[in-house]
Amino acid sequence: MQGIVTDCLRSTSHCSDGTWMQSPLSSVPVRVPIHSGGTSQSMIRSKKGKKKLKISGRELVSVPPQVFGLDQLQVLEMSPERESCLRYRMELLPQEISRLRNLTCLYVDSNNLKKIPAEIGTLSCLESLTLSNNHLSSLPAEIGALQRLHSLHLANNSLTELPAPLCQLRSLTFLDVSDNKIVTIPSSIRYLEKLETLLLLFNSLESLPEDVCVLRNLRTLWLGNNQLQSLPAAFGELVNLDWGYNHCSCNFEGNPLESPPPEVCSRGPEGIRDYFLSLHRIRRD
């Protein structure tokens, strides 16, 4: 299989003894032979200022081992192309991923992953992680060590609860766990103080913990198509949720909401807050 290295990514060359060596950074595109069970092509590219590698191949049967020797790699994309029937899909993320200590972005969505190795926790520079469209039912505790992570995509997996280690990711600003089977949200979600976007639509949530209401930086919260019958009494404190004219900042469609009813929810945080204040006064009297 052939690859192309461009811009600031190190190129590799095949030596006579069968080993691979890294050559100095080159600004000239070079073609790199990558042998892995087929003769398909793999494109390795780099955006200016970023050492980036993209792997694909019609006859690829495994991740080429020399990839894990690119210790200066910052962006690694191992997501199949649209022609998925012609592309290799990973069953396992290799443990050798731990050798790529300079990774800031890792894209492994749309594979057949059922688990993530504990070694993911060693990628201390990771800022963006995309795991959507796999078969994940849990995540390793070590993922909580990714303290620089600010964007995490986990949509369309098999999660039945929001993994507790995610609530240790204090730098997280974007979290998408939509289209799973999540029934509960842990109270420790309160520690995601920097969270701005939380996507929970198409799950099986029957309630939300009051702790969600302390996430005052939330600007987008999608709750559609769950089993919510009520909202926390302090929900109206999420004042940065801007409903606007299209109500796109927060949605409740597809929920059997009773308290507050949908017509109240459509008024935004202020309307929800007034509803619960009125309810509190009635109960007090």
Side-chain angles (χ1 to χ4, degrees):
M1 181 168 47
Q2 297 288 318
I4 293 178
V5 180
T6 63
D7 203 24
C8 60
L9 184 62
R10 290 184 179 181
S11 63
T12 60
S13 59
H14 191 227
C15 301
S16 57
D17 62 357
T19 61
W20 290 81
M21 294 184 63
Q22 290 184 340
S23 60
L25 299 182
S26 173
S27 60
V28 180
V30 294
R31 189 166 292 275
V32 181
I34 298 179
H35 303 288
S36 183
T39 57
S40 318
Q41 290 196 344
S42 169
M43 296 297 292
I44 303 176
R45 303 186 180 94
S46 175
K47 290 188 293 186
K48 189 174 183 180
K50 281 281 188 180
K51 302 176 183 66
K52 178 180 179 181
L53 180 135
K54 178 180 179 181
I55 301 174
S56 65
R58 295 192 179 190
E59 297 177 23
L60 194 65
V61 297
S62 64
V63 179
Q66 61 268 32
V67 167
F68 304 110
L70 300 172
D71 55 6
Q72 296 302 308
L73 197 61
Q74 293 174 291
V75 180
L76 177 57
E77 183 174 344
M78 296 190 289
S79 304
E81 301 290 340
R82 289 182 181 273
E83 303 87 6
S84 57
C85 62
L86 301 175
R87 305 291 175 173
Y88 165 66
R89 290 193 175 202
M90 284 189 297
E91 300 282 341
L92 293 172
L93 183 63
Q95 294 178 335
E96 290 81 3
I97 194 74
S98 63
R99 294 166 59 185
L100 303 179
R101 298 296 179 91
N102 287 295
L103 275 188
T104 60
C105 302
L106 176 60
Y107 305 99
V108 289
D109 52 299
S110 303
N111 280 286
N112 290 326
L113 298 175
K114 294 183 179 179
K115 65 180 299 185
I116 300 298
E119 285 77 8
I120 194 76
T122 64
L123 304 180
S124 58
C125 293
L126 207 59
E127 298 175 358
S128 180
L129 177 59
T130 300
L131 298 167
S132 296
N133 304 318
N134 280 288
H135 305 289
L136 301 171
S137 58
S138 64
L139 294 174
E142 289 79 4
I143 202 169
L146 303 179
Q147 291 303 303
R148 294 189 184 182
L149 197 68
H150 59 72
S151 178
L152 178 57
H153 297 251
L154 278 163
N156 193 23
N157 276 285
S158 300
L159 300 171
T160 57
E161 60 181 5
L162 188 70
L166 298 189
C167 297
Q168 301 171 26
L169 303 175
R170 303 298 180 90
S171 298
L172 209 60
T173 60
F174 179 97
L175 177 59
D176 182 2
V177 288
S178 57
D179 204 5
N180 277 275
K181 303 172 184 177
I182 297 174
V183 177
T184 59
I185 302 292
S187 60
S188 52
I189 196 171
R190 63 167 45 241
Y191 299 124
L192 300 182
E193 298 176 351
K194 294 184 179 181
L195 202 59
E196 297 178 2
T197 298
L198 177 58
L199 308 183
L200 291 165
L201 63 164
F202 289 101
N203 277 287
S204 301
L205 292 171
E206 296 182 358
S207 64
L208 291 175
E210 289 280 348
D211 306 85
V212 168
C213 303
V214 305
L215 303 178
R216 303 298 171 82
N217 286 313
L218 272 183
R219 298 184 179 277
T220 301
L221 176 60
W222 288 1
L223 296 166
N225 294 94
N226 279 282
Q227 301 299 319
L228 297 172
Q229 296 186 41
S230 64
L231 296 177
F235 195 88
E237 300 303 318
L238 296 174
V239 294
N240 284 322
L241 291 180
D242 181 14
W243 264 245
Y245 291 105
N246 298 319
H247 310 296
C248 60
S249 177
C250 188
N251 74 20
F252 304 96
E253 295 177 2
N255 283 285
L257 273 172
E258 297 178 359
S259 179
E263 59 270 21
V264 172
C265 293
S266 66
R267 301 173 197 161
E270 187 174 343
I272 293 174
R273 187 167 57 247
D274 290 345
Y275 170 85
F276 280 113
L277 285 173
S278 175
L279 201 62
H280 177 70
R281 283 194 294 267
I282 292 173
R283 290 174 178 172
R284 185 181 57 188
D285 297 341

